[in-house]
Amino acid sequence: MSESAPVSNKPVHAPMAQFPVEGGELIVGGQPLSRLAARVGQTPFYAYDRGLLRQRVAQLRAALPAAIKLHYAMKANPMPALVGLMAGLVDGIDVASGGELKVALDAGADPAEISFAGPAKRDSELRQSVAAGVLVNVESARELPVLAEASQALGLPARVALRVNPDYELKGSGMKMGGGPKQFGIDAEALGPVLAEVGRLGLAFEGFHLFAGSQNLKAESICEAQLKSYELALRLAEQAPAPLKFLNLGGGFGIPYFPGEAPLELAPIGANLQALVERAARDLPQASLVIELGRYLVGEAGVYVARVLDRKISRGQVYLLTDGGLHHHLSASGNFGQVIRKNYPAMLSQNRGETRRESASVVGPLCTPLDLLADKMELTAAEPGDLAVIFQSGAYGASASPQDFLGHARVVEVLL
Ligand SMILES: *Cc1c(COP(=O)(O)O)cnc(C)c1O
């Protein structure tokens, strides 16, 4: 049975057509996986494909209006070499800690195009931001006097935007990050006095940041959130101490991880943003519209690769025991915010000419039943030495996993 022709009408994974397969072996960055594993020198590893990263940004640019600025939210994948590549492809980098700020600056990102969001910023991080000349997305009135003090001490402007906790949610998001009570941003209805304080302290006000949620596959919901964000920002702009230079409408573009999920349609989002660009040219003539994306830019360009060490049959169920697991790839194990565990798309890569398929569970070396990379999945029949591949692994992988748990070696990341 091939992946493209399921025998039942059970939902299937979207095809992972971005990576070719030749003779049962996955090709990543133009190289057969067994050779790549030899060149990396160890398993497990993450591999990210430059060509696919470039292609993704180009596809987005083609689908969205030219006036939309595209930012990379680097928490999705902070590997320094990858951030360096992305810095040259997008219009700005969004960081969420002093550590990420360092990586972005080291990568050569223009400080004028870096913004820093995060709900519990340290005073030291706020001072670093002023010294670096980056834009701070302020999430609490507490940040304002700290920024004013840093600005005075350093003799530099404190560039600020206010992150707004909107009075609506992004429908159908994997993770909701706005609407209702939230630790993120400042409630829209409480923003008036904060804007007045920004003016009183003489901070360099630049605009608003709205981010309603993440991992959304419904173009319609994303369009609705963008429109509501725009209209809310327009109302708030009336109370702002200076004209808006910058309006960050958020992101939330999702990628298909699970059976039955289909890729996000960009065309309606492009049309929606075109309409907003035209309105902004009249309503907010000095403002550029920004969207910030993490996983959509990098998620599909990466694979996680672990080696099968053992094959065990327990009461009829095949277990493939690998050297990789949840300590490297928490999200594929289903323990990174998922409510119900589902399999990521996966394959077994081998060059033995094996064509038989079987139901197998791919597990790791940890002493916990949570260490599950694939649960009873239909895969090529595997032997020790074969490589287990988890697709859609370019975002929220290595840096979002508890690598020290149980004391196994840390994972290696390569950019091809
Ligand atoms: C996490 C985050 C992002 C990126 O989310 P993705 O789902 O990876 O696109 C963007 N902006 C903010 C403020 C975030 O917290």
Side-chain angles (χ1 to χ4, degrees), residues 73 75-76 163 177 209 211 214-215 252 292-295 396:
K75 83 169 189 281
R163 178 165 180 186
M177 293 180 62
H209 174 218
F211 184 77
S214 173
Q215 179 50 22
E292 54 177 6
L293 303 173
R295 91 179 70 228
Y396 304 108

Side-chain angles (χ1 to χ4, degrees), residues 140-151:
S140 157
R142 190 205 76 85
E143 297 176 23
L144 299 179
V146 181
L147 288 163
E149 217 177 274
S151 167

Side-chain angles (χ1 to χ4, degrees), residues 72-76 94 96 117-118 137 139 163 177 184 209-211 213-216 248 250-254 292-298 395-396:
Y72 174 50
M74 65 170 276
K75 83 169 189 281
D94 291 334
N137 289 325
E139 310 217 14
R163 178 165 180 186
M177 293 180 62
F184 307 110
H209 174 218
L210 293 108
F211 184 77
S214 173
Q215 179 50 22
N216 202 308
N248 185 334
F253 295 20
E292 54 177 6
L293 303 173
R295 91 179 70 228
Y296 190 80
L297 294 179
V298 299
Y396 304 108

